[in-house]
Structure formats: C-alpha cells, structure tokens
Amino acid sequence: MGYSHNMSLVYAILIAFLHFSYAQNAPQDYVNAHNKARKEVGVGPVKWDDRLAKLAEYEVNQRKVNCSLLQGPTFYMDCENLAKGELTGAEAVNLWNSKKDVYDYKSNTCRNHVCFRYIMVVWRKTTHIGCARAKCNQSKNWYVVCRYDPPGKYRGGRPY
C-alpha cells in the first residue's frame, strides 16, 4: 500500500507540474490576450491557426540558439511579434499590449517608444494567429513568437 500511495502522489505532482507549465501558454491563452486588447479598440476577434503556429514554432526553434530579438534565420517583421524574457505566452502578449499607452491614434504614431508590436495585436484586418514559445539555450529566458494573417503594420495604415 505504501508504494502505491507514493506512486499516486508522484503522478499527482507530475500532472500538476505539467498543467502549471502549460498554463498561460495554451493556444486559447494567446487568443484571449489578443482578443482582450482588440475588444478594447473595437476590432473583431482573432482565431487560432495551426499553420501559423507551426511557422511560429519553427521560428522559436531557430532563434532559441542565440535568443536574439534582432537577428535570426527568418525575420518576418510584417507578420510576427517577438518577445524574450521570463515570460509565459500570455505575458508576452500583455507586454505588447502595454504599448497601447504610447500609440496616438490621431497622428497614427508612437510617442517616444516603439509600439509596432501593439499595432500588430490590434490590426483590424488580422483574423488568425499562431504562436509558439521555446526556452533559450543559453539563459533562463523564453522566446515567444506570434504570427498573424493577414499581416498588418503597413506604412500609413491605421490598425483600427
């Protein structure tokens, strides 16, 4: 009875750990974080796209070697957002959303900061997203990528 009880406890801890490690990194967590910001500015929701998620997964697996936001084997600035840090997927999206305060809709510019990642989150014509997250090889940071379709952020365009 002691061995069986101990194994049950080990399995329970393992399941709890796996659930916790997936928390805020599930597809719906990315979608919810995007849609919260989109709702605030009156644009429609996005849906999860497995094809975009596979592209994002390829991207994070390539970039996790050096975990650079500036360079990598692929760089599609017009249709992706990047983040690096001790972040869950949902926290990465919230980081991008935090730049809302520096975006000035009237002039369609960012005040003293870069806010193009926020603009990508709320781009009105975007209908689908796919995201991925991978642990950096040389640090405790995580690398997060979200891909968007159709892409946005074109010069002179307004996100909403």
Side-chain angles (χ1 to χ4, degrees), residues 88-160:
T88 65
E91 289 170 336
V93 179
N94 291 335
L95 176 66
W96 302 327
N97 292 340
S98 72
K99 298 301 182 187
K100 176 183 182 181
D101 294 340
V102 299
Y103 176 67
D104 180 54
Y105 182 81
K106 186 176 180 181
S107 66
N108 197 28
T109 60
C110 302
R111 291 183 308 271
N112 302 324
H113 294 287
V114 176
C115 64
F116 65 87
R117 291 191 169 115
Y118 165 72
I119 290 170
M120 185 81 267
V121 170
V122 297
W123 197 260
R124 72 182 173 280
K125 292 185 180 181
T126 297
T127 57
H128 291 85
I129 64 165
C131 305
R133 179 176 173 259
K135 184 93 166 72
C136 295
N137 288 352
Q138 304 295 326
S139 74
K140 58 187 174 180
N141 290 321
W142 289 84
Y143 197 87
V144 180
V145 172
C146 286
R147 301 291 304 264
Y148 299 85
D149 187 46
K153 298 189 306 195
Y154 57 86
R155 188 173 298 246
R158 289 189 182 272
Y160 48 89

Side-chain angles (χ1 to χ4, degrees), residues 11-27:
Y11 286 131
I13 291 170
L14 181 60
I15 289 169
F17 174 75
L18 291 174
H19 177 72
F20 176 75
S21 67
Y22 197 63
Q24 297 188 335
N25 298 306

Side-chain angles (χ1 to χ4, degrees), residues 6 29 81 89 91 101:
N6 287 342
D29 295 317
N81 267 341
E91 289 170 336
D101 294 340

Side-chain angles (χ1 to χ4, degrees), residues 48 50-64 80 130-134 143-147:
W48 187 259
D50 287 332
R51 178 187 59 85
L52 292 172
K54 293 255 187 250
L55 292 170
E57 183 177 10
Y58 174 79
E59 182 84 12
V60 295
N61 285 328
Q62 297 299 309
R63 289 178 176 267
K64 72 181 183 179
E80 74 179 9
C131 305
R133 179 176 173 259
Y143 197 87
V144 180
V145 172
C146 286
R147 301 291 304 264

